[in-house]
Amino acid sequence: MTILIFIAILWYTGLFFQTFFLHRYAAHQTFTMSKFAERVCFFLTWLFQGSNYLSAYGYGVMHRMHHAYADTEKDPHSPKYDANVFTMMWRTKNIYQDINQKRIAVADKFTKNVPQWESFDKFASSRVSRLVWVVLYTAFFAVFATAWWQWLFLPVAYLMAPIHGVIINWFAHIYGYRNFEVSDTSKNLLPVDFLMMGEGYHNNHHSHSGRANFGIKWHEIDPTYCIMVVLDKLHFIKLKKATS
């Protein structure tokens, strides 16, 4: 039970900072916050994503490219142009690293105002940091795993953020329903998104990318947006009015 609780905590905390900080803030800037609050989010993203930490700059730029080139040959990740989920993951990883390490030229429209903390990113993305988290996760399993099958969750802990990405970037372009006709294959995975904290309303998001709330219909509850409303009331962030 301890292992399952641990995985659930990693799943939802890592996912929250991916959708709240990397996606809705870094990529789409649906809200503003102070520089101090931004730095806190950098640290908490590293704390909860651990061995699979994603840079706000690398993620933000790549995600903007995904929207601009969705389901075309220039899309960083698309089931339409990748043979299978593993080739998509590998290509996405390479593009992300090229962007994050600035090995390729990127148009200004993709980098404008994307938050960066280069010194922290260098540390958080380092092999040393990732290996330390791998050791810590493995040690936790060694202490608390009570059955052999629980060890099957260890690779999930190592690769949580890429798994989150695959669910949306692969499966939410193949399965689900559509509220809007858009030029790409984006779909909403679930009518109530308890699994991906609102990220599963992918068709809604592609149609209205400027909205902080990914839910559209009455039953499409967006847990992340609910938390954002509370953070707005507490003046930790300031929500913007939707632009599209």
Side-chain angles (χ1 to χ4, degrees), residues 201-212:
Y201 303 132
H202 200 50
N203 174 250
N204 295 351
H205 174 57
H206 269 246
S207 180
H208 298 79
S209 61
R211 281 175 53 101

Side-chain angles (χ1 to χ4, degrees), residues 89-128:
M89 289 175 69
W90 187 256
R91 189 165 69 90
T92 301
K93 177 193 77 72
N94 290 334
I95 294 173
Y96 164 80
Q97 290 180 338
D98 285 343
I99 293 170
N100 202 41
Q101 297 175 25
K102 300 182 179 178
R103 294 193 294 242
I104 58 174
V106 178
D108 291 343
K109 65 180 179 179
F110 297 128
T111 63
K112 184 179 179 181
N113 297 327
V114 177
Q116 243 187 319
W117 188 1
E118 290 188 9
S119 58
F120 184 82
D121 271 345
K122 185 176 181 180
F123 154 72
S125 300
S126 68
R127 289 182 181 179
V128 171

